[in-house]
Amino acid sequence: PMYLFLGNLSFVEVCLTSTTVPKILVNTQTLSKDISYRGCLTQVYFLMVFAGMDNFLLTVMAFDRFVAICYPLNYTVIMNPRLCVLLVLLSWLIMFWVSLLHILLLKRLTFSSGTAVPHFFCELSQLLKATSSDTLVNIILLYVVTALLGIFPATGILYSYSQIVSSLLRMSSSVGKSKAFSTCGSHLCVVSLFYGTGLGVHLSSAMNHPSQGNMIASVMLHCGHPMLNPIIYTLRN
């Protein structure tokens, strides 16, 4: 199961980086900061899909580590191939439809031809600030989705690791503790990096004017985080 989830995580992070970086490189080469309306909406859609998938996969991987350490004898029964594939497919379906709903509501809004997005990519929250239309429905949906797809997975990760820590404290063997910690070490590093930079981005985006710190956190989330993950997991494996 670990390698199934790692394979999906690698694919998602390649796609996440490819959603923004190629356009940035083109703009740098041509000295132009323009992006088409369709291109902007497409970028928003895929950013939401892949960022959400990143979040879901990290949660599923935390559940996998929880079962492996707390229920080792039943691990192969609980984390069977059918359940693992179902968890991944369910995550994809949820993010495809939630992102599509955001885009359909975004298409109702009016933007001028010279709309400036104060960011290096098209972000949903910044687009909602740039429109002259009423965005109440969009903002409500954004908050609801953030609560459901952000807080619940984070809570699941915290619960999984609280149970893991509880199991580790009950272990008498130092070798067993060391092995269990090494199993979770890579995932903990990646989770800390993802949620740390993600929290910085969203807190900065809540302000009216994006700061330089917001830009740096965004670069770390969309470029640095996917670049460091393979290094972290390669060193572990």
Side-chain angles (χ1 to χ4, degrees), residues 169-195:
L169 293 176
R170 292 196 298 268
M171 285 184 183
S172 56
S173 170
S174 59
V175 176
K177 289 182 180 180
S178 176
K179 185 177 180 181
F181 179 76
S182 67
T183 303
C184 301
S186 301
H187 184 256
L188 269 176
C189 291
V190 172
V191 167
S192 302
L193 192 62
F194 178 78
Y195 279 100

Side-chain angles (χ1 to χ4, degrees), residues 1-2 4-5 8 64 75-89:
M2 182 179 70
L4 171 67
F5 300 139
N8 276 273
D64 174 64
Y75 176 74
T76 54
V77 177
I78 298 174
M79 298 302 294
N80 57 78
R82 183 178 179 182
L83 176 64
C84 295
V85 172
L86 183 63
L87 288 172
V88 173
L89 287 179

Side-chain angles (χ1 to χ4, degrees), residues 47-110:
L47 272 174
M48 288 189 290
V49 168
F50 297 130
M53 276 302 299
D54 221 340
N55 188 27
F56 274 130
L57 286 172
L58 290 176
T59 306
V60 171
M61 291 169 74
F63 175 69
D64 174 64
R65 297 299 86 203
F66 159 68
V67 176
I69 293 173
C70 298
Y71 303 97
L73 298 180
N74 296 324
Y75 176 74
T76 54
V77 177
I78 298 174
M79 298 302 294
N80 57 78
R82 183 178 179 182
L83 176 64
C84 295
V85 172
L86 183 63
L87 288 172
V88 173
L89 287 179
L90 188 61
S91 300
W92 279 110
L93 286 174
I94 290 173
M95 288 316 306
F96 278 142
W97 286 107
V98 168
S99 302
L100 182 61
L101 183 58
H102 274 299
I103 294 300
L104 292 176
L105 288 176
L106 199 59
K107 282 178 67 68
R108 296 170 52 251
L109 306 180
T110 303

Side-chain angles (χ1 to χ4, degrees), residues 144-164:
V144 170
V145 169
T146 302
L148 294 177
L149 304 186
I151 295 176
F152 285 161
T155 304
I157 292 174
L158 290 175
Y159 174 77
S160 296
Y161 274 103
S162 68
Q163 295 300 307
I164 288 172

